[in-house]
């Protein structure tokens, strides 16, 4: 899942990035309202964490513009102001949640999980995805093969999630770059191939029935295999 975090305080952005990457989210960041607006309109995010008080634009303006442009991405507003008027105004403008700074790491994780749950509830993809005997719970981030848990790194988990959502389809390296890795990733490296190889080995060890196939010059495909009788 890919999250956009917006704040003009670089230290806060760094903290949010660290906390959520540990939870296997891909994180894009913006430190100005205009940059946030552009990223949010161009990309499809699973959630946006939006500070209200940015240097160039107010968060309410960005929120309202995104909604006017048909963007239904779940949005969490956060601000140092916790008065009822600000909270009501934010929710009425189309925000899905509002949190007052400072927020603990644990609460931030919980708020983002709730945000993602709301987005999943309004889409064709729910909280749980299953391919063959492999199941991924998108909220708890737990992966099992025939009910036996598979331990994956945060990046392996993000990679598997995208392949499962696109099961049976060829996923190009450029798509993985855009959807799984964040915008600071170097697309010329062989990191994607290395992660795919490690993930494939873990799935084979766990006797997961879908297989990751490489389509030379095209990308990768997760293919469901027949389960044994």
């Amino acid at each position: 899942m890919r999250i956009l975090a917006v704040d003009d305080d670089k230290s806060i952005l760094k903290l949010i990035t660290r906390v959520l990457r540990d939870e296997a989210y891909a994180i894009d960041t913006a430190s100005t309202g205009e940059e946030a607006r552009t990223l949010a309109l161009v990309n499809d995010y699973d959630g946006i964490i939006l500070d209200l008080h940015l240097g160039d634009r107010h968060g309410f303006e960005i929120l309202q513009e995104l909604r006017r442009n048909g963007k239904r991405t779940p949005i969490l507003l956060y601000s140092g102001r916790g008065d009822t008027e600000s909270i009501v105004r934010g929710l009425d403008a189309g925000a899905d949640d509002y949190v007052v700074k400072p927020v603990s790491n644990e609460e931030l994780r919980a708020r983002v999980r709730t945000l993602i749950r709301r987005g999943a509830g309004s889409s064709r993809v729910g909280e749980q995805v299953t391919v063959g005997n492999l199941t991924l719970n998108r909220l708890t981030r737990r992966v099992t093969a025939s009910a036996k848990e598979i331990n994956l790194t945060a990046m392996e988990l993000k990679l598997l999630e995208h392949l499962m959502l696109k099961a049976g389809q060829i996923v190009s390296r450029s798509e993985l770059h855009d959807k799984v890795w964040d915008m600071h990733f170097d697309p010329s490296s062989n990191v994607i191939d290395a992660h795919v190889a490690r993930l494939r080995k873990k799935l084979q060890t766990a006797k997961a029935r879908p297989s990751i196939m490489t389509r030379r010059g095209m990308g990768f495909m997760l293919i469901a295999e027949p389960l044994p009788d």
Side-chain angles (χ1 to χ4, degrees), residues 156-223:
E156 290 166 351
L157 184 56
K158 288 188 286 187
L159 174 60
L160 177 62
E161 178 179 36
H162 192 74
L163 291 174
M164 290 182 73
L165 292 174
K166 293 294 189 73
Q169 304 175 46
I170 295 176
V171 180
S172 67
R173 287 174 175 80
S174 61
E175 180 177 340
L176 291 176
H177 164 234
D178 291 339
K179 299 296 185 180
V180 178
W181 275 261
D182 59 37
M183 59 188 178
H184 303 294
F185 173 70
D186 178 6
S188 65
S189 73
N190 65 348
V191 169
I192 291 177
D193 296 86
H195 276 88
V196 169
R198 285 198 294 268
L199 176 59
R200 181 186 287 126
K201 184 175 181 179
K202 287 188 178 182
L203 295 182
Q204 291 171 343
T205 300
K207 298 181 178 180
R209 299 306 294 185
S211 299
I212 302 175
M213 310 300 292
T214 300
R215 296 290 186 248
R216 188 177 299 276
M218 300 169 63
F220 308 96
M221 179 188 294
L222 187 72
I223 300 178

Side-chain angles (χ1 to χ4, degrees), residues 69 72 143 145 166 187:
N69 280 275
R72 307 315 305 166
V143 178
K166 293 294 189 73

